[in-house]
Amino acid sequence: MKSVEDLIELFKLHTQCLGDEAAQDDVWQMIIQQRVELDDQKAAIKELDDLLNTARKVLENAAEAAYISGCEYSAVTANEKLHTTNVLVENAQMASQKMDVQLAQAQKEDITEVMNFEDSNLESDQES
């Protein structure tokens, strides 16, 4: 989440640097680097999600086996832990989706500002 927040701030900084090509290039390089880091983190999260799904299936089967063999307490405890884990993962996924929406909005605003800046430069060049 920190990476997304940093990327949003870099887009805002990029907008503030319009007109200073060297600063824009520097900020753009930081944006690219931050995107690479964010992509790496998303790939790691995907791997963890796959691992969690496998663990979830194993735990469900173990809980069922425990219940069948008369270890009801173990089955109930395993199901409670599984439920808690599911809630935590779902909350993290919802927060991640909200951050993705905010990132998309920041990108949209940056593109709009760059287009407006370029249009105003084009108009002033034509007037000259």
Side-chain angles (χ1 to χ4, degrees):
M1 296 246 232
K2 178 74 171 129
S3 295
V4 175
E5 292 170 352
D6 291 345
L7 194 50
I8 289 170
E9 289 303 316
L10 285 172
F11 275 112
K12 290 177 184 176
L13 181 60
H14 182 254
T15 301
Q16 294 171 359
C17 293
L18 291 175
D20 182 353
E21 288 188 33
Q24 278 182 270
D25 288 343
D26 290 343
V27 172
W28 200 250
Q29 289 302 317
M30 289 188 284
I31 287 172
I32 291 169
Q33 181 182 6
Q34 196 66 36
R35 281 182 178 274
V36 169
E37 290 177 19
L38 184 60
D39 288 345
D40 290 347
Q41 289 175 356
K42 284 186 176 188
I45 289 170
K46 173 70 174 123
E47 288 179 26
L48 288 173
D49 190 46
D50 291 345
L51 181 62
L52 179 62
N53 286 332
T54 301
R56 185 179 297 135
K57 289 175 186 175
V58 169
L59 186 58
E60 286 172 353
N61 290 335
E64 186 177 326
Y67 185 78
I68 290 171
S69 66
C71 301
E72 293 174 10
Y73 177 76
S74 296
V76 169
T77 302
N79 281 325
E80 287 174 356
K81 292 191 183 298
L82 182 61
H83 176 72
T84 301
T85 302
N86 285 336
V87 169
L88 291 172
V89 169
E90 287 172 8
N91 289 342
Q93 288 172 337
M94 287 181 2
S96 177
Q97 288 173 349
K98 287 179 184 178
M99 293 301 293
D100 286 342
V101 168
Q102 290 176 357
L103 177 59
Q105 183 64 32
Q107 289 173 313
K108 178 182 171 186
E109 290 171 7
D110 182 62
I111 291 168
T112 301
E113 289 297 322
V114 169
M115 288 175 54
N116 290 341
F117 180 78
E118 294 295 326
D119 287 346
S120 68
N121 278 349
L122 184 61
E123 289 173 8
S124 63
D125 287 347
Q126 289 175 349
E127 291 173 2
S128 299

